Amino acid sequence: MPATQEDVARLAGVSRKTVSNVVNGFPHISKDVATRVGAAILELGYTPNHAARSLRTGRTGTIQLVVPELEVSYFAELAQWVVAAAEERGLSVLIRQTRGDRERERLALEGASGEATDGTILSPVSSDLAAIVSRKSQAPVVLVGEVAGGGMLPHIGIDNEAAAYAATQHLIRSGRRRVGFIGAQRGQMSHMARMRRDGYERALRDADLVVDERLVRYTDGYHRREGAAALRDLAATDLDGAFCATDLLALGAIRAARDLGIDVPVDLAVVGIDGLDEGEYSVPRLSTVAPDKNRIATRAVERLLEAIDTQAEGGTPRDGSEEVVGFELVQRESSS
Amino acid sequence: MPATQEDVARLAGVSRKTVSNVVNGFPHISKDVATRVGAAILELGYTPNHAARSLRTGRTGTIQLVVPELEVSYFAELAQWVVAAAEERGLSVLIRQTRGDRERERLALEGASGEATDGTILSPVSSDLAAIVSRKSQAPVVLVGEVAGGGMLPHIGIDNEAAAYAATQHLIRSGRRRVGFIGAQRGQMSHMARMRRDGYERALRDADLVVDERLVRYTDGYHRREGAAALRDLAATDLDGAFCATDLLALGAIRAARDLGIDVPVDLAVVGIDGLDEGEYSVPRLSTVAPDKNRIATRAVERLLEAIDTQAEGGTPRDGSEEVVGFELVQRESSS
DNA sequence: TTGTAAGCGTTATCAA
DNA sequence: TTGATAACGCTTACAA
């Protein structure tokens, strides 16, 4: 049976409220009382009861991170930064996986775990999430990656069109003329997939190259396996460059190319997006467009915290503004 | 302002307790009352208040997963399985990262977040954690991976010695005679590092090969970078095989070998441990000893749940028994 | 500077 | 089968 404030108060010979003051670092406490209470706390091994505290304050000190799946390295790296940024601000992070499932996504926001947290950082699977915005007076949500909710929710991410443009342009500048596209999407065309595709096409047009549908493939998810399958499918064409919507797809594509005797980068140049650590050590090393993941995570946590505070003060949360984070084109061996 | 049981009770014309009964699926409720309450809940958009419920019940419905860092793919994959297994049992997972830091590890168990969860699945950084066991009547802990607490805590993991033996033996059988070891550890020799090293040595001895300290390197952490550095360091020797304590170290080693013009597997055969998805698509594909990660995660969640229930019923938790999970030697291109 | 009283939303106990 | 009442441990008025 853990000790309560009551126990500490009794042992220290003060009132419960005084213990509370000491615990919360309330300013006006006499030296004598402070040390007495401190000693009692130590002796009893008292820890404030989290549930009682949040029942009273309405805050849990926990935020939720909802991603498709941690097995996809981008989300693991993002999660790492989110957990770190949250820790710096005294917050804990609850992680949920949607596996690209709408129902799981909805549950994460409306179900019990939404109630157990102060707010959510969501990497949505699809842009069609009217449901997200229509939630009545629930905890705040900040979007990361995919855009959703029709621009009604705050969103942190890179300029996907520009990132795709940079990647494709890089391939063209390295002398490729038949540049293909391997894009990830769940279900129907997502906003992110469309942006990356748009950037790809604009880069082609700017270089006076034609957009050839035969060089374009879509995958259901983000796994290496799917990138490999897409490339095998493209191998019959005269492809000499491949812009992949994510690094994992690119790494899968490189593996498949290798199996088919296609030399990367000689026969085929490959560029991805994500800036995974894995691409720095792959064979060949992967050229990529690296978003500032640390910044995305940090800003997402900050924005969420702002929204939580605003709502707590009864204010109306700032409506969904877009926040664009930088990226960097990293040229490595897969595209030289 | 979210609706409370009180509001629902008023609208449905029943008492608060009745609403509680309906919400918790209590057996004896008249059809009529149930539907009336159900309608009221829907109309008001009522969700049970998590804090109040856990204050009352003493349960949070959340468990903690404490790992060194999610950026290390093994932990990301493990986390994925833990989150999935927890979800199946109606639990949420709070993730904390220790970054190999003792203080963070201690805080995760004793600090506020320990109070916010029903129990902890811990992947400790070192075996020297007397502190873990000496915690007074705190929430239960189940260990995963590294052993700690002097066998006083339940532990789920593979037989590290046998896994290392299998990996090393495989290298020897493929004709290697100068097999090196690249091992991960934080600070002083961890229990896991020692077990893996023991298995490595036993396999050498069983094949009448000598253990040569010059072929052994230790890294501080688990990153590709460190595996690469270790291999560069070993390159001056006559090494023809390398057993790496983790897949990430192995992948780093392969990259470094490549850079030095060492052909894997012709000049150097490499085997890791972890069974990462990454190794299935790397160039060359990575031979590995794959633990049943799903089972480790599932059993850890189950054991933790058992311990939580036992403690809730006032029983003394079953003492730290070891639970061994299977592994599989996966032969791929890096060691043929 | 400290103490007293009240209540956060829920479930457990016990009567009705 | 349902309802009243009392906690759970804490913080926030307000009073001393």
Side-chain angles (χ1 to χ4, degrees):
Chain A
M1 190 64 65
T4 76
Q5 271 189 354
E6 181 83 52
D7 301 327
V8 176
R10 199 163 28 230
L11 182 61
V14 296
S15 83
R16 229 162 52 218
K17 168 62 181 159
T18 303
V19 177
S20 173
N21 285 341
V22 173
V23 170
N24 297 318
F26 199 70
H28 310 296
I29 307 161
S30 73
K31 203 87 181 175
D32 173 47
V33 171
T35 52
R36 235 168 50 225
V37 171
I41 287 177
L42 228 60
E43 183 175 338
L44 295 170
Y46 166 78
T47 330
N49 180 296
H50 183 80
R53 180 176 273 181
S54 45
L55 174 56
R56 195 58 245 228
T57 62
R59 290 274 190 116
T60 64
T62 302
I63 61 174
Q64 208 183 182
L65 174 64
V66 182
V67 294
E69 47 190 326
L70 287 173
E71 195 175 350
V72 172
S73 313
Y74 177 77
F75 297 118
E77 293 194 8
L78 184 70
Q80 183 204 16
W81 290 115
V82 168
V83 171
E87 187 193 305
E88 274 179 22
R89 291 161 184 76
L91 296 172
S92 296
V93 180
L94 203 83
I95 296 194
R96 297 196 89 80
Q97 300 179 134
T98 62
R99 305 190 169 284
D101 180 40
R102 300 273 176 86
E103 182 55 15
R104 274 218 181 69
E105 195 164 80
R106 198 185 59 73
L107 269 172
L109 293 172
E110 300 183 345
S113 82
E115 193 65 33
T117 53
D118 295 333
T120 300
I121 295 175
L122 168 66
S123 180
V125 289
S126 137
S127 51
D128 162 42
L129 275 177
I132 297 183
V133 233
S134 74
R135 302 163 315 121
K136 31 188 144 184
S137 77
Q138 301 259 16
V141 174
V142 170
L143 300 176
V144 164
E146 183 63 69
V147 182
M152 297 299 290
L153 292 167
H155 177 263
I156 324 278
I158 59 169
D159 180 338
N160 281 295
E161 203 271 350
Y165 185 91
T168 309
Q169 186 185 52
H170 165 61
L171 286 170
I172 296 168
R173 287 193 174 154
S174 78
R176 314 296 162 156
R177 287 294 169 268
R178 300 288 291 160
V179 178
F181 176 72
I182 297 179
Q185 58 172 42
R186 294 271 191 180
Q188 89 283 45
M189 189 75 138
S190 72
H191 183 262
M192 188 162 82
R194 189 159 40 239
M195 290 296 101
R196 293 187 177 179
R197 163 97 199 239
D198 285 353
Y200 158 75
E201 293 191 357
R202 183 163 64 88
L204 290 183
R205 283 195 307 270
D206 281 2
D208 293 323
L209 295 174
V210 295
V211 176
D212 186 343
E213 283 298 332
R214 288 168 301 179
L215 301 185
V216 173
R217 288 295 180 284
Y218 289 100
T219 63
D220 278 346
Y222 326 81
H223 300 89
R224 298 174 184 87
R225 172 176 29 84
E226 294 162 308
L231 190 107
R232 277 193 293 271
D233 205 33
L234 283 170
T237 69
D238 59 344
L239 192 79
D240 64 1
F243 161 52
C244 302
T246 77
D247 277 1
L248 240 44
L249 290 177
L251 290 160
I254 288 176
R255 178 65 259 185
R258 191 71 149 210
D259 290 338
L260 293 166
I262 300 171
D263 188 303
V264 176
V266 178
D267 304 331
L268 177 71
V270 177
V271 178
I273 294 188
D274 277 351
L276 300 185
D277 187 54
E278 181 176 346
E280 218 173 313
Y281 290 86
S282 61
V283 176
R285 290 181 174 85
L286 180 66
S287 295
T288 186
V289 172
D292 189 340
K293 289 187 284 283
N294 182 7
R295 186 157 175 78
I296 291 176
T298 306
R299 286 299 299 147
V301 171
E302 287 174 356
R303 289 285 303 264
L304 185 58
L305 222 39
E306 277 172 34
I308 292 169
D309 287 339
T310 306
Q311 204 176 69
E313 288 159 9
T316 313
R318 179 150 68 112
D319 60 340
S321 69
E322 179 74 17
E323 190 166 326
V324 178
V325 163
F327 60 78
E328 185 193 3
L329 174 67
V330 184
Q331 304 184 24
R332 300 206 189 97
E333 301 163 354
S334 69
S335 66
S336 50
Chain B
M1 189 62 67
T4 77
Q5 272 187 356
E6 180 84 52
D7 301 328
V8 176
R10 199 161 29 224
L11 183 60
V14 297
S15 83
R16 230 161 53 217
K17 173 59 181 157
T18 302
V19 177
S20 174
N21 285 341
V22 173
V23 170
N24 296 318
F26 200 71
H28 309 297
I29 307 163
S30 71
K31 205 88 179 173
D32 173 48
V33 170
T35 51
R36 237 165 53 222
V37 170
I41 287 177
L42 228 60
E43 181 175 341
L44 296 170
Y46 166 77
T47 331
N49 179 297
H50 183 80
R53 179 176 276 179
S54 46
L55 172 57
R56 193 58 243 227
T57 62
R59 290 276 190 112
T60 65
T62 302
I63 61 174
Q64 209 183 182
L65 174 65
V66 182
V67 295
E69 46 189 328
L70 287 174
E71 195 174 351
V72 173
S73 313
Y74 178 78
F75 297 118
E77 293 194 7
L78 185 71
Q80 184 205 14
W81 290 115
V82 169
V83 171
E87 186 193 305
E88 273 179 22
R89 291 160 184 78
L91 295 171
S92 297
V93 181
L94 204 82
I95 297 193
R96 299 196 87 79
Q97 301 179 135
T98 61
R99 306 191 166 286
D101 180 40
R102 298 275 175 86
E103 181 56 14
R104 274 219 181 68
E105 195 164 81
R106 198 186 58 74
L107 269 172
L109 292 172
E110 300 183 345
S113 83
E115 192 66 33
T117 54
D118 295 334
T120 300
I121 296 175
L122 169 65
S123 181
V125 291
S126 137
S127 51
D128 162 42
L129 275 177
I132 295 184
V133 231
S134 74
R135 300 162 317 120
K136 32 187 143 182
S137 76
Q138 301 259 18
V141 174
V142 170
L143 300 176
V144 164
E146 183 62 72
V147 183
M152 296 300 291
L153 292 168
H155 176 262
I156 325 279
I158 60 170
D159 180 337
N160 281 295
E161 204 268 351
Y165 185 90
T168 310
Q169 187 186 52
H170 165 60
L171 287 169
I172 296 168
R173 287 193 175 156
S174 78
R176 313 296 162 156
R177 287 294 169 270
R178 299 290 289 159
V179 177
F181 176 72
I182 297 180
Q185 57 170 43
R186 295 270 191 179
Q188 87 284 45
M189 189 73 139
S190 71
H191 184 261
M192 188 162 80
R194 187 158 43 240
M195 288 298 99
R196 293 187 178 180
R197 163 96 197 239
D198 285 352
Y200 158 75
E201 294 190 356
R202 183 162 64 88
L204 290 182
R205 284 195 308 270
D206 282 1
D208 292 324
L209 295 174
V210 295
V211 175
D212 186 343
E213 284 297 331
R214 288 168 300 179
L215 301 185
V216 173
R217 289 295 180 283
Y218 290 100
T219 62
D220 278 346
Y222 324 82
H223 300 90
R224 299 174 183 85
R225 172 178 28 85
E226 293 162 308
L231 189 107
R232 276 193 294 272
D233 205 33
L234 283 170
T237 68
D238 59 345
L239 192 78
D240 64 2
F243 162 52
C244 303
T246 78
D247 278 1
L248 240 43
L249 291 176
L251 290 161
I254 288 176
R255 177 66 259 185
R258 191 72 149 209
D259 290 337
L260 293 165
I262 300 171
D263 187 304
V264 177
V266 178
D267 304 331
L268 178 71
V270 177
V271 177
I273 294 187
D274 277 350
L276 300 186
D277 186 54
E278 182 176 345
E280 217 173 313
Y281 290 85
S282 61
V283 176
R285 290 183 174 82
L286 179 66
S287 295
T288 186
V289 173
D292 189 340
K293 289 187 284 284
N294 182 6
R295 186 160 175 79
I296 292 175
T298 306
R299 286 299 300 147
V301 171
E302 287 174 354
R303 289 286 302 264
L304 185 57
L305 222 38
E306 277 172 33
I308 292 169
D309 287 339
T310 306
Q311 204 177 68
E313 289 158 11
T316 313
R318 180 151 67 111
D319 60 340
S321 69
E322 179 75 17
E323 189 165 326
V324 178
V325 164
F327 60 78
E328 184 194 3
L329 173 66
V330 184
Q331 305 185 25
R332 301 208 190 95
E333 302 163 353
S334 70
S335 67
S336 50

